[in-house]
Each structure stands twice: as structure tokens, then as C-alpha cells.
Amino acid sequence: MLFPTHILVAVGIRRLADHPPVSRRLPGAAALSAGGLVVGAALPDIVDKPLGALGILDVYQSVGHSLLLAPLAVALAVRHRHGMAVAVGWGSHLALDAFHVAVNGRANDALFLLWPVVSRADPLALPPIEFARFYVPTPSFYVELGLWLAAIFAVVNSRLGPDEEVGR
């Protein structure tokens, strides 16, 4: 997924946490800070993209995208209120990236989640701009586009009064 979509989903998780059915079933959801969610959702790319771009590693999904950091994320979540939000944001980033490669027919590329224990035989190691060009015609791009359209619809609908809802 593209970086802005990870941020969009983090904000969406925060908004979803405010809905009564969610807050009743998951009492801790209300404590998820928007800032923590955004930081966690951004963290894998903030760590890994420079490592790949600078040639330190030959892939763009490595340290920050590895599930081997899960014990650290759990420890952070248990110890600090904001740590829970960072861990949830980080987990959403990994889940979205795994979904992205699976939808695009490259489920084996989800092995990035086990870096460095398991490496992909032929990683898609494209710099961010080239990746964006590669990404646009893929099925996952259209899923991502749908997320953005739904977000735009939700924002427009929330700004209109109850009598002016879109579609009425």
C-alpha cells in the first residue's frame, strides 16, 4: 500500500474506536490516541524505505516490516497507553502490506513479515516512485482507491447536516 493510505487507515481506526458498538466490545479502543496510531502506521516505512534507498539493504520491507518485532510491540502496548496505539498502527501497516501483495497475486512476497529469517527469492525491490508506477494498474490499487473514495464520502457526509446527507 502507498504510505498515505497507511495514515488514512490509522485515522479510520481512531474514528472507528469512537463508535459505541466498538467501544462497548473493546473497552481499550477509546484509549487509542490518533497520534500513536499514525506514528505506528508510519513507522515501518520511516525505518525501511531509507535503508533500501540508501542501499544498506536490498529490499524496502525489512526491519520495520518484520513480525519478529511483535514481542517488542506487545511489550510497548502493555507498558504504555500510547504504546498500544503505536502497536495497533504498526500492526495495521503490516496487515495492509500483506493484504496488498496477496491481492496482487504475489502471496509469497508476504514473507517480508519474517525478515531476516526468511527472504523472498525475488524481492520486488523498487524505489518508491518506480513502485508507484508499477502499482497503479494492480488490483490492490483499486482496493486502495475504494478506501480513499469511502473516506472522502464519509468526510463529505459528516460535514453536511442531517437533512443534507449525500444521496438524500
Side-chain angles (χ1 to χ4, degrees), residues 5-48:
T5 302
H6 289 295
I7 305 306
L8 174 75
V9 169
V11 171
I13 290 169
R14 176 64 235 135
R15 290 194 49 128
L16 186 63
D18 286 336
H19 286 282
V22 174
S23 59
R24 276 195 303 271
R25 289 190 180 172
L26 300 170
L32 294 175
S33 68
L37 287 164
V38 168
V39 166
L43 201 55
D45 285 346
I46 289 172
V47 170
D48 290 347

Side-chain angles (χ1 to χ4, degrees), residues 116-142:
V117 175
V118 179
S119 300
R120 298 177 288 189
D122 185 21
L124 182 63
L126 297 173
I129 301 293
E130 288 179 41
F131 172 78
R133 287 188 193 124
F134 165 82
Y135 184 50
V136 169
T138 65
S140 183
F141 170 77
Y142 295 104

